[in-house]
Amino acid sequence: MITRRLLMIINESLISSVSFRKKSKHFQATDTRKFIEIWLMNEQEAIEYAQQILDEDKIIHNQQLGLEWEPPVSLDILEGEGRPPLTAGPSQNESSATSLIRSARSAADEIIRTTSGSDLQASKTTVYGEGTQHHPILIKSVLELLSGEADFLVEKKLVHLLAPLEHDERLLMKLDSIFKAIGVETEDDINKLTEYFLRPDEKNPKEMVLIHPNQVLKAIRLFVANNFIPTKTSPLLKQPSDINDKALKRNSEQDANYWNKLANILPDVNERKWNALYSGLQKYYSVLTQRSKLIEETEKLQNQNSELRMLLQQYVGSRVNQDLQIPPTHTIPNDVLRSYARD
């Protein structure tokens, strides 16, 4: 009874932070999801602009300059190469260490998902993950037994909140609270806990079977007494939230280099060609504009000249000239008259 009271005290001290941790993880997940969505949206837009620039650069080289176009070295960036991970992960050594201390919640979540719908029967020890461990179906049976017999470690208010959830989700949330109360923090701790929930089979002592539900409290007491040793320096007691916080840290310099590569996908040499071509085309446009104005003026003069010819022809061919003593035809040179006669 004393141990049970101590466990309840430990649970009460830890359960107060459960809600805050869940909210913190929820906001972390929401912020990360929004960050990834905005990143992908901006990246897609930047890649489209970069591809358009490269297409125009190819047209300029082939059609305007008559040169063979060579793609820039950084063309692979359009296929996503060089993009930093959207959630910065740890280094290789840290990754190996983290895999060895995978959180109990993550391990339980995977076991519950992989064994969902399976017949919960004790299984012989088999390989699961790193090293020789218990079969996931057997561990699922232990977790079900722990959740059913140690629900006193779960806050009553939380039990009511979990009631509408599906069985697997409700089981995972209850286990998360129980794990915090008894000090189960890693996948290795789950395997250690499983050992306390097994006993030799009476018919076949070589095989292990689950203990009776009445022995669950005793098994928890033994596990806590033998394994719950708080120490700040032990890597096995690292909280999952610490690992997640580390995973969310990003390399700002790496991000900036990636976006700078996208922004400067056009080489400086090609950009200078664009500037020189733009300057030459501006001069060419100025010449064409002047030529267009001259053509308009020429057309106006041609129209005026045609109108004057028509008036002159009417004047020369008029019958009034016959009544004049000196008709206009006598004063106009013959070659001029002949040219008008041909027109």
Side-chain angles (χ1 to χ4, degrees), residues 245-282:
D245 291 341
K246 186 172 184 178
L248 290 174
K249 292 182 179 179
R250 299 192 55 79
N251 189 333
S252 300
E253 183 178 356
Q254 190 177 9
D255 293 346
N257 291 336
Y258 175 72
W259 289 110
N260 287 333
K261 287 181 180 179
L262 273 178
N264 301 290
I265 194 169
L266 188 68
D268 294 338
V269 176
N270 293 27
E271 188 173 352
R272 289 195 294 269
K273 291 179 183 178
W274 281 39
N275 294 334
L277 180 62
Y278 177 74
S279 178
L281 290 177
Q282 279 187 319

Side-chain angles (χ1 to χ4, degrees), residues 47-203:
I47 289 177
E48 290 177 358
Y49 281 129
Q51 185 63 56
Q52 184 178 356
I53 290 174
L54 293 178
D55 293 340
E56 293 174 354
D57 186 52
K58 184 177 181 179
I59 293 174
I60 288 174
H61 276 75
N62 295 340
Q63 299 183 11
Q64 298 294 331
L65 302 177
L67 301 175
E68 184 178 356
W69 182 75
E70 295 181 359
V73 180
S74 58
L75 189 60
D76 293 338
I77 196 173
L78 299 180
E79 304 296 333
E81 183 164 335
R83 181 178 69 181
L86 296 183
T87 52
S91 62
Q92 184 176 1
N93 294 334
E94 292 173 341
S95 178
S96 300
T98 303
S99 63
L100 295 176
I101 56 172
R102 190 162 64 124
S103 68
R105 180 185 175 87
S106 299
D109 184 24
E110 181 178 350
I111 292 172
I112 293 173
R113 285 187 293 103
T114 55
T115 59
S116 180
S118 302
D119 188 13
L120 296 182
Q121 296 178 354
S123 172
K124 295 181 180 180
T125 302
T126 185
V127 176
Y128 179 75
E130 295 274 335
T132 302
Q133 300 180 353
H134 297 291
H135 195 278
I137 296 180
L138 175 61
I139 298 178
K140 175 71 174 296
S141 302
V142 171
L143 298 179
E144 290 276 6
L145 183 59
L146 177 65
S147 174
E149 299 298 326
D151 54 355
F152 63 90
L153 296 175
V154 183
E155 189 179 11
K156 292 183 178 180
K157 182 179 179 181
L158 181 60
V159 174
H160 292 300
L161 294 175
L162 297 178
L165 299 179
E166 295 183 359
H167 173 74
D168 289 348
E169 295 181 358
R170 185 169 62 253
L171 173 62
L172 182 61
M173 298 298 291
K174 290 178 66 177
L175 288 173
D176 188 35
S177 181
I178 296 172
F179 286 164
K180 288 182 173 64
I182 64 177
V184 176
E185 299 179 339
T186 66
E187 183 180 12
D188 187 53
D189 290 340
I190 294 180
N191 284 279
K192 291 181 180 179
L193 179 64
T194 302
E195 297 288 342
Y196 290 85
F197 280 71
L198 300 178
R199 63 175 179 80
D201 188 6
E202 296 178 356
K203 296 180 180 180

Side-chain angles (χ1 to χ4, degrees), residues 272-294:
R272 289 195 294 269
K273 291 179 183 178
W274 281 39
N275 294 334
L277 180 62
Y278 177 74
S279 178
L281 290 177
Q282 279 187 319
K283 295 179 181 179
Y284 183 56
Y285 175 77
S286 178
V287 172
L288 291 179
T289 302
Q290 294 178 1
R291 183 178 178 183
S292 177
K293 293 180 180 179
L294 293 175

Side-chain angles (χ1 to χ4, degrees), residues 225-260:
N226 296 334
N227 296 279
F228 189 66
I229 306 175
T231 169
K232 296 182 179 180
T233 59
S234 176
L236 293 178
L237 295 180
K238 180 183 288 186
Q239 295 293 337
S241 58
D242 298 336
I243 299 175
N244 293 337
D245 291 341
K246 186 172 184 178
L248 290 174
K249 292 182 179 179
R250 299 192 55 79
N251 189 333
S252 300
E253 183 178 356
Q254 190 177 9
D255 293 346
N257 291 336
Y258 175 72
W259 289 110
N260 287 333

Side-chain angles (χ1 to χ4, degrees), residues 28-54:
Q28 277 187 355
T30 302
D31 293 342
T32 301
R33 183 172 63 253
K34 289 183 178 179
F35 171 79
I36 293 175
E37 291 176 355
I38 295 175
W39 176 289
L40 294 177
M41 180 182 65
N42 292 335
E43 183 186 47
Q44 181 64 28
E45 185 177 2
I47 289 177
E48 290 177 358
Y49 281 129
Q51 185 63 56
Q52 184 178 356
I53 290 174
L54 293 178

